[in-house]
């Protein structure tokens, strides 16, 4: 297989793993609350990333001036965003979790303009409008259950904060390995979540010993597969194809999450879901299309 074909395969697999994460978390959340589950996922993910870092022989040294940024990444992205992602999924459905958070690339436009001073274009503005409209359709036109709508709104918080993380991470100096940055940011989040998660584990220590093998495999999937393995595949894939083309594989996340939620959890999408999903897909695609045009123009100048 050619290098580009391998890169495409890695990207599609990573995004599909993240899509399956919503289905797995929906099942595991029936036994373990969101905060303890996020904490457990991070402990396993950190262990796996340390192993990867040892294999790659990365430098773990961080300059003192950069610790504040890492702390913000850990608070905003890995504490607030992932907690909101799990809580929103627990209150709503795996399909809602996958598709609402797929609006993240469009929301990044707002933060990129305010923080990185990236110029706004008609395509970027249209993408934000379409993505926002899609979220309103899913949350507003869905069933009138209070918990379901609350879950949808919490998922919007997850998408917004993950978009903020995705922009802030561009401020990380290029000489740092992303494996190291991610490990330290996850460490910050783990420390912040420990006071809220540890009492539950102490109270349910006996219960945790008797979890079914299926639930333990779900926890391993969330902690190792969807964190360390998917991270490695995504970054490896991006190194083998053009960055502008790689973003399109983000669509595998909502597609996989929707299909798996339909087949395994019997979550049947309604008309509001499909209309909202179409708007989000169109909005994110506008951003990707604009980035690809910019990349082509830059290559022509070179």
């Amino acid at each position: 297989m050619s290098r580009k074909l391998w890169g495409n395969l890695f990207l599609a697999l990573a995004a599909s793993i993240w899509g399956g994460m919503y289905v797995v978390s929906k099942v595991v959340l029936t036994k373990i609350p969101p905060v303890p589950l996020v904490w457990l996922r991070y402990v396993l993910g950190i262990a796996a990333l340390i192993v990867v870092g040892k294999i790659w022989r990365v430098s773990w040294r961080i300059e003192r001036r950069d610790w504040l940024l890492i702390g913000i990444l850990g608070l905003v992205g890995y504490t607030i965003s992932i907690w909101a992602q799990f809580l929103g999924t627990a209150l709503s459905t795996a399909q809602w979790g996958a598709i609402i958070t797929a609006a993240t690339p469009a929301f990044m436009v707002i933060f990129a303009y305010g923080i990185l001073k990236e110029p706004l274009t008609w395509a970027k503005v249209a993408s934000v409008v379409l993505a926002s409209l899609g979220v309103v359709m899913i949350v507003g036109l869905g069933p009138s259950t209070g918990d379901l709508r609350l879950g949808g709104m919490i998922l919007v918080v997850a998408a917004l904060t993950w978009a903020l993380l995705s922009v802030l991470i561009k401020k990380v100096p290029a000489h740092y390995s992303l494996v190291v940055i991610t490990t330290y940011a996850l460490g910050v989040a783990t420390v912040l979540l420990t006071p809220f998660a540890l009492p539950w584990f102490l109270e349910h220590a006996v219960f945790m010993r008797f979890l079914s093998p299926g639930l333990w495999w779900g926890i391993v999937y969330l902690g190792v597969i969807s964190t360390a393995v998917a991270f490695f595949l995504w970054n490896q894939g991006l190194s083998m194809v053009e960055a502008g083309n790689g973003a399109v594989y983000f669509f595998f996340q909502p597609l996989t999450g929707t299909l798996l939620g339909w087949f395994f959890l019997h979550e049947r999408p309604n008309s509001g879901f499909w209309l909202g999903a179409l708007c989000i897909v169109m909005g994110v695609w506008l951003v990707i299309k604009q980035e690809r045009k910019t990349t082509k123009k830059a290559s022509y100048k070179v």
Side-chain angles (χ1 to χ4, degrees):
M1 294 175 67
S2 68
R3 180 178 175 84
K4 284 189 176 182
L5 192 56
W6 274 114
N8 293 332
L9 179 61
F10 289 159
L11 291 170
L13 184 56
S16 298
I17 288 172
W18 287 327
M21 175 186 68
Y22 290 94
V23 178
V24 174
S25 64
K26 185 67 177 178
V27 175
V28 179
L29 284 166
T30 61
K31 300 295 183 181
I32 305 176
V35 172
L37 183 56
V38 174
W39 185 89
L40 193 58
R41 175 192 177 186
Y42 285 171
V43 170
L44 293 174
I46 289 171
L49 285 171
I50 290 175
V51 171
V52 172
K54 291 292 185 180
I55 294 173
W56 288 357
R57 297 181 179 179
V58 299
S59 172
W60 295 93
R61 185 175 180 275
I62 299 290
E63 297 291 337
R64 183 180 298 179
R65 63 177 180 272
D66 297 321
W67 276 108
L68 176 60
L69 177 57
I70 293 174
I72 294 174
L73 294 176
L75 172 63
V76 173
Y78 298 111
T79 304
I80 298 175
S81 185
I82 303 299
W83 167 79
Q85 181 187 104
F86 275 44
L87 179 59
T89 301
L91 293 174
S92 59
T93 69
Q95 293 171 346
W96 279 37
I99 195 65
I100 291 178
T101 53
T104 295
F107 294 149
M108 285 174 60
V109 171
I110 301 173
F111 295 117
Y113 172 73
I115 297 174
L116 303 178
K117 308 304 178 184
E118 293 184 359
L120 285 176
T121 64
W122 71 268
K124 290 182 178 180
V125 174
S127 71
V128 173
V129 173
L130 281 170
S132 302
L133 180 61
V135 170
V136 170
M137 284 185 175
I138 293 174
V139 177
L141 299 182
S144 57
T145 306
D147 284 348
L148 193 62
R149 295 199 176 184
L150 176 61
M153 289 186 286
I154 293 174
L155 286 169
V156 173
V157 173
L160 285 169
T161 48
W162 193 256
L164 179 57
L165 166 77
S166 301
V167 171
L168 288 176
I169 206 166
K170 293 180 180 293
K171 287 185 167 289
V172 175
H175 62 271
Y176 292 133
S177 167
L178 284 178
V179 171
V180 174
I181 297 299
T182 303
T183 303
Y184 285 142
L186 286 175
V188 171
T190 303
V191 171
L192 292 174
L193 292 171
T194 295
F196 305 98
L198 195 57
W200 187 91
F201 283 110
L202 294 176
E203 184 179 350
H204 296 82
V206 176
F207 164 77
M208 290 294 294
R209 291 174 56 188
F210 292 98
L211 284 180
S212 66
L215 283 174
W216 276 114
W217 279 116
I219 293 170
V220 171
Y221 181 95
L222 295 174
V224 178
I225 307 300
S226 70
T227 303
V229 174
F231 174 83
F232 168 76
L233 289 173
W234 185 258
N235 285 279
Q236 185 66 24
L238 286 177
S239 70
M240 301 170 78
V241 302
E242 295 178 4
N245 295 335
V248 74
Y249 288 92
F250 194 83
F251 289 130
F252 276 81
Q253 175 181 306
L255 176 62
T256 306
T258 298
L259 292 177
L260 292 178
W262 196 345
F263 292 145
F264 292 105
L265 304 179
H266 308 293
E267 298 175 351
R268 290 188 171 275
N270 59 9
S271 57
F273 175 90
W274 290 116
L275 287 173
L278 179 61
C279 286
I280 291 175
V281 168
M282 290 174 61
V284 178
W285 176 249
L286 281 175
V287 173
I288 294 172
K289 187 177 180 180
Q290 179 70 25
E291 288 180 350
R292 293 181 67 181
K293 285 184 177 179
T294 304
T295 302
K296 286 182 179 180
K297 288 182 180 179
S299 63
Y300 290 152
K301 289 181 180 179
V302 175

